Amino acid sequence: MPESILKTLNKSQMEAVKHIDGAMLILAGAGSGKTKTITTRVAYLISIGIDPASILTLTFTNKAAREMQNRAINLVGNNTIYPPMLCTFHKFGLLFLKFHINLLNRKNNFVIIDSDDKKKIIKNIEKELTPSLVSAEISRYKNSLISPDVAKNAAEQKVYKQIADIYEKYENYLFENNLVDFDDLLLLPYKILDSNKELAEQISQKYQYIMVDEYQDTNELQYKLLHKLCTTHQNLCVVGDDDQSIYGWRGATIKNILNFASLFENTKVIKLEENYRSTDTILKHANMLIEHNRDRLGKVLKGTRCQGNEIKIYESHDEVEETRKIATDIKALVSQGVSMKDIAILFRVNALSRSLEEGFNKAGIPYNLVGGMKFYERAEIKDLIAYFRVITNANDNFSFKRIINKPKRGIGKTTIDKLDLASIEQKKSIYNIINESTPSELSQIVGQKNSRTLKVFLASVMDLQDVLKESKMRFLDLFEETFDFKEQYHGLPDGYERIANIDEFYGYIRDFFIQNGDAKLEDFLANIALESEQDNLDSDGVSMMSIHASKGLEYKHVFIVGLEEGFFPLIGDGSDIEEERRLGYVAFTRAIDDLTLSFVHSRFYKGRRTDLTKSRFLTESGLIQGSLSIEKSSAYKNGDLIKHKIFGMGRVIAVQKAGKELKLTINFGGSKRDILSSFVEKI
């Protein structure tokens, strides 16, 4: 490898690249040249004669793996016949299983199922529980190395007993049909290595140099798998940033990176603190914010660029004024020659995109919603729109079929097909067939049980039609009371976001009726239909996304909206203020040149306009004066799985404050104990 390549590295990067033997933790701050360091280290190892076949680099995405592979090969040139293995954790697991799954009495012609296949299998086992909920819980069990038997013993509440039983049947089904799911690509290799010491040593000797990117995002299973791969050596180099650990909600544990130096002997710790992305001003306030966290190894980003412009703070009366200010700024930037591709708007809660989308459509600003659906394309919003269309137009068969079993009321596809056929034959809408048929006539079409269900459903729709004629606001209240529409999303992994979207939609309708007193529900539906038609994707548009979706990206001009308590940070049962603060740090450090932070005095919240308080993050980052006495929010809630070093795995059934700590009542396989939160670890 040319010596000139090494000369482009700074002192810390050089030290990391030239470290060969022994464990190493590279704490790579945002914009500090992490990818450059990893790929140069791979190239350096090859350049000093280390066999490329003995180097294994693991990433989280195929895109990252491809980029690193190309960069490493370009650095090495033609000095190697074959490239080192550089792939995702799951790709490595797949290749491993092709050679060794026979050790689990399985054939290597197994089929990998996707998330939709998984939900279908679960639905065939149990129709009562929501497949998404069960799928997420099974995934959590697998990534925490919890077997069906252990899950059964820890279950106390009826729903968790059901899930544990489904888990057992699901695993049996996979085994009998030689199927593996996404989580098995990690779990099964670990099981094989854990029960075959000789094979573990053989694989460890094969991969003498192991590197892991984004180590702060690893979970317990990934850590244990890595530990097995290091059976015969300690040559594990992990790269990550504890300050950017933002995926606790999907199983990542920050403790993997915080405890790395104590888990591997003589670990060398190198901090990459020189930031090549943002201005000094942006870094100064990002550093001030993250310093409020206790659970961190500690580093300070240092700028290599100019001081830059001051961070702007926008204070607005409501979200309409907020959007108008941002739209004005964007138009000014574009008029100065700034490309829309260099502008991004970030938010913590996806529901905030609705007011931005509406405002941008009116202002004629094209935008791309990155990593998510546009507001009116989200399934829960399309369902609500379908309900309101049926209420205003009884002959809308398309919308009626969409809502007939949402929330679930036992009406399946076969019944819907029968109604559809009857609608064609009788030349009537499905609504009118149900309304005009006698119970016995309807029973002949759909069966007696479904006949009763559909008659009750239609009666509810007709009641709402009558209420709508008298009071639009009362109609909105009664709609949620009648169908309990939000309840179906409680307990789902993305339930909070979906419910927030529904509340935002209810709030938008209320505001529309307040602003347009004589307008009807039909007018509202026509209005949003026009907005939806304007939502064509424009590749040259402004980027709009959640902060989670922004990780790894950068933009010259960044706007962060919704800096109010309850929106950013999220607060309440089960929230983790330190992870919220890490999200703030990630959001700040996406900005290259300019950063604008925005808060409002009121937003629609839970379907109504609510007064809000500006975010503590504005004070903590040193951007506004003020003092806040902040309690650390509970990181535990009822239903959480935990692990105690003596009592093993249990489930939280009650949470109480106990001085500065939390007292958790935990069910350990039928035995209940009260234990302070500092003595347990969340699974």
Side-chain angles (χ1 to χ4, degrees):
M1 184 175 70
E3 194 66 28
S4 59
I5 293 172
L6 293 178
K7 287 179 181 176
T8 65
L9 304 174
N10 64 39
K11 185 180 177 182
S12 297
Q13 291 170 336
M14 178 79 79
E15 191 179 359
V17 165
K18 288 193 169 184
H19 176 80
I20 299 171
D21 296 317
M24 177 166 61
L25 167 60
I26 303 175
L27 274 180
S32 64
K34 174 195 70 167
T35 303
K36 178 182 182 179
T37 305
I38 296 172
T39 51
T40 307
R41 184 171 186 265
V42 171
Y44 179 75
L45 291 174
I46 295 170
S47 74
I48 62 173
I50 289 171
D51 183 358
S54 68
I55 302 170
L56 171 65
T57 305
L58 298 171
T59 69
F60 275 84
T61 66
N62 289 315
K63 182 182 176 185
R66 282 194 300 271
E67 181 189 349
M68 289 184 183
Q69 183 102 43
N70 293 335
R71 286 171 70 165
I73 290 170
N74 288 337
L75 287 173
V76 174
N78 297 319
N79 296 338
T80 180
I81 300 170
Y82 47 89
M85 182 175 282
L86 211 159
C87 61
T88 64
F89 273 93
H90 292 89
K91 177 70 177 293
F92 173 79
L94 171 61
L95 295 172
F96 179 90
L97 289 178
K98 286 291 183 184
F99 288 101
H100 304 293
I101 199 170
N102 60 295
L103 295 171
L104 294 173
N105 296 318
R106 303 273 293 267
K107 294 177 182 176
N108 71 354
N109 63 342
F110 58 85
V111 173
I112 304 169
I113 60 170
D114 61 20
S115 57
D116 286 338
D117 296 326
K118 182 179 179 183
K119 287 172 189 173
K120 284 174 186 172
I121 294 167
I122 289 168
K123 196 171 183 180
N124 286 335
I125 295 170
E126 171 60 73
K127 291 182 170 58
E128 182 182 331
L129 294 178
T130 308
S132 297
L133 170 65
V134 179
S135 175
E137 192 73 2
I138 289 174
S139 185
R140 189 154 65 122
Y141 287 146
K142 289 192 174 189
N143 282 286
S144 301
L145 295 165
I146 296 169
S147 67
D149 287 341
V150 174
K152 278 184 172 183
N153 290 333
E156 184 181 65
Q157 293 170 295
K158 181 187 174 185
V159 65
Y160 290 115
K161 286 180 179 177
Q162 281 180 281
I163 292 172
D165 186 52
I166 297 166
Y167 179 26
E168 183 177 52
K169 292 174 181 175
Y170 170 78
E171 286 293 88
N172 290 338
Y173 183 90
L174 295 191
F175 182 81
E176 288 163 8
N177 292 277
N178 203 24
L179 306 174
V180 300
D181 64 21
F182 202 58
D183 299 312
D184 286 332
L185 295 176
L186 298 182
L187 179 60
L188 299 183
Y190 172 76
K191 284 183 173 180
I192 291 168
L193 293 173
D194 189 47
S195 57
N196 293 268
K197 188 179 178 183
E198 285 185 15
L199 179 61
E201 290 177 353
Q202 178 189 328
I203 298 296
S204 180
Q205 284 166 358
K206 178 179 180 181
Y207 297 112
Q208 286 287 315
Y209 297 92
I210 300 173
M211 295 181 70
V212 183
D213 186 24
E214 302 285 11
Y215 189 67
Q216 78 280 348
D217 295 335
T218 55
N219 59 27
E220 184 179 1
L221 176 54
Q222 285 161 330
Y223 159 70
K224 291 201 168 181
L225 182 58
L226 285 168
H227 207 268
K228 290 295 176 188
L229 295 176
C230 293
T231 300
T232 63
H233 61 79
Q234 295 274 293
N235 297 335
L236 175 63
C237 167
V238 301
V239 187
D241 185 358
D242 53 326
D243 291 333
Q244 294 188 75
S245 177
I246 60 173
Y247 296 114
W249 51 276
R250 71 180 188 197
T253 171
I254 192 173
K255 290 188 177 181
N256 283 354
I257 193 166
L258 294 179
N259 298 338
F260 184 82
S262 61
L263 294 169
F264 291 86
E265 293 178 12
N266 302 316
T267 297
K268 186 178 186 69
V269 179
I270 295 175
K271 298 180 181 180
L272 304 185
E273 297 176 298
E274 291 182 54
N275 176 284
Y276 297 92
R277 176 189 299 150
S278 307
T279 63
D280 280 350
T281 302
I282 292 168
L283 296 177
K284 169 190 167 187
H285 294 290
N287 284 329
M288 289 175 74
L289 174 63
I290 201 63
E291 280 169 6
H292 285 76
N293 272 5
R294 300 175 197 169
D295 290 338
R296 63 190 295 259
L297 296 168
K299 67 179 178 314
V300 178
L301 287 181
K302 300 160 191 167
T304 58
R305 297 180 61 222
C306 59
Q307 182 175 341
N309 299 325
E310 287 299 313
I311 295 173
K312 284 198 289 188
I313 309 288
Y314 278 164
E315 177 178 3
S316 305
H317 173 67
D318 59 17
E319 65 271 25
V320 176
E321 184 184 348
E322 173 183 64
T323 301
R324 191 164 58 243
K325 288 177 181 177
I326 293 170
T328 301
D329 270 10
I330 289 171
K331 285 187 171 182
L333 287 169
V334 172
S335 70
Q336 294 162 20
V338 173
S339 168
M340 287 195 179
K341 291 180 180 178
D342 291 329
I343 304 171
I345 297 100
L346 310 181
F347 36 78
R348 173 67 179 92
V349 178
N350 280 322
L352 296 193
S353 80
R354 200 276 310 158
S355 57
L356 290 164
E357 290 179 59
E358 181 195 357
F360 281 21
N361 282 330
K362 287 179 179 174
I365 297 173
Y367 63 89
N368 297 316
L369 198 64
V370 180
M373 293 182 187
K374 296 193 174 183
F375 189 79
Y376 295 114
E377 292 172 359
R378 292 168 184 155
E380 62 275 13
I381 302 303
K382 290 176 85 168
D383 290 344
L384 282 173
I385 291 170
Y387 259 105
F388 294 163
R389 282 177 175 160
V390 167
I391 287 166
T392 58
N393 177 12
N395 295 318
D396 186 345
N397 267 10
F398 179 79
S399 296
F400 198 95
K401 287 188 287 183
R402 184 177 180 99
I403 64 169
I404 199 167
N405 198 41
K406 291 177 182 176
K408 290 185 178 178
R409 49 181 68 90
I411 304 298
K413 185 178 181 299
T414 304
T415 301
I416 295 171
D417 289 344
K418 288 176 180 176
L419 287 167
D420 217 7
L421 182 62
S423 174
I424 295 166
E425 289 175 347
Q426 297 182 33
K427 297 182 180 178
K428 291 181 183 177
S429 67
I430 294 174
Y431 178 103
N432 284 331
I433 286 174
I434 298 170
N435 184 34
E436 295 169 10
S437 300
T438 64
S440 60
E441 288 171 343
L442 190 57
S443 294
Q444 289 177 0
I445 300 172
V446 298
Q448 191 172 358
K449 183 183 175 185
N450 288 336
S451 172
R452 284 196 300 268
T453 301
L454 291 170
K455 284 286 187 183
V456 170
F457 172 58
L458 200 70
S460 298
V461 171
M462 295 172 84
D463 284 345
L464 285 166
Q465 288 171 327
D466 290 338
V467 172
L468 180 61
K469 293 171 187 173
E470 297 175 13
S471 168
K472 290 172 285 196
M473 295 302 182
R474 174 66 187 135
F475 159 76
L476 292 173
D477 289 334
L478 191 62
F479 176 83
E480 183 59 38
E481 287 175 25
T482 301
F483 294 116
D484 210 5
F485 190 78
K486 291 188 284 190
E487 181 60 32
Q488 63 188 308
Y489 299 111
H490 282 292
L492 293 184
D494 59 350
Y496 179 90
E497 287 286 358
R498 287 177 180 265
I499 291 168
N501 291 335
I502 293 164
D503 287 333
E504 174 72 9
F505 187 69
Y506 287 159
Y508 182 34
I509 301 174
R510 289 179 189 280
D511 194 46
F512 179 85
F513 287 145
I514 290 167
Q515 302 297 329
N516 306 276
D518 296 330
K520 298 178 180 178
L521 185 57
E522 294 95 315
D523 299 322
F524 172 78
L525 293 171
N527 191 55
I528 61 172
L530 289 173
E531 282 187 21
S532 298
E533 285 174 9
Q534 294 168 5
D535 282 351
N536 295 322
L537 194 68
D538 190 322
S539 59
D540 292 326
V542 171
S543 295
M544 195 185 292
M545 72 194 83
S546 71
I547 297 165
H548 280 102
S550 76
K551 189 168 180 290
L553 302 176
E554 58 182 46
Y555 297 88
K556 288 182 179 177
H557 306 274
V558 171
F559 298 83
I560 306 173
V561 302
L563 277 147
E564 304 100 28
E565 293 289 295
F567 282 97
F568 193 24
L570 288 180
I571 50 178
D573 187 26
S575 67
D576 182 346
I577 191 59
E578 297 222 345
E579 183 151 317
E580 292 296 307
R581 205 172 276 117
R582 292 193 291 271
L583 271 168
Y585 177 80
V586 167
F588 278 35
T589 54
R590 297 312 93 198
I592 297 173
D593 294 328
D594 290 300
L595 178 61
T596 301
L597 309 179
S598 176
F599 70 92
V600 300
H601 291 291
S602 79
R603 286 188 195 277
F604 276 115
Y605 185 59
K606 305 283 187 191
R608 301 183 188 280
R609 185 158 291 285
T610 304
D611 291 334
L612 299 167
T613 306
K614 58 180 170 284
S615 171
R616 69 190 76 179
F617 293 167
L618 295 168
T619 305
E620 292 178 352
S621 57
L623 288 162
I624 62 171
Q625 295 297 313
S627 59
L628 286 169
S629 177
I630 302 302
E631 274 188 20
K632 189 171 179 181
S633 297
S634 165
Y636 294 92
K637 62 183 182 299
N638 289 356
D640 279 348
L641 280 171
I642 60 87
K643 186 166 62 178
H644 186 276
K645 62 182 179 182
I646 302 297
F647 305 120
M649 192 191 85
R651 194 177 290 278
V652 176
I653 56 176
V655 181
Q656 286 180 285
K657 286 183 180 176
K660 292 183 179 180
E661 281 217 60
L662 294 168
K663 183 175 77 173
L664 308 177
T665 303
I666 303 167
N667 175 41
F668 294 98
S671 174
K672 296 177 189 175
R673 299 179 186 272
D674 290 336
I675 293 178
L676 293 176
S677 58
S678 58
F679 289 88
V680 301
E681 180 182 352
K682 189 188 283 188
I683 295 178

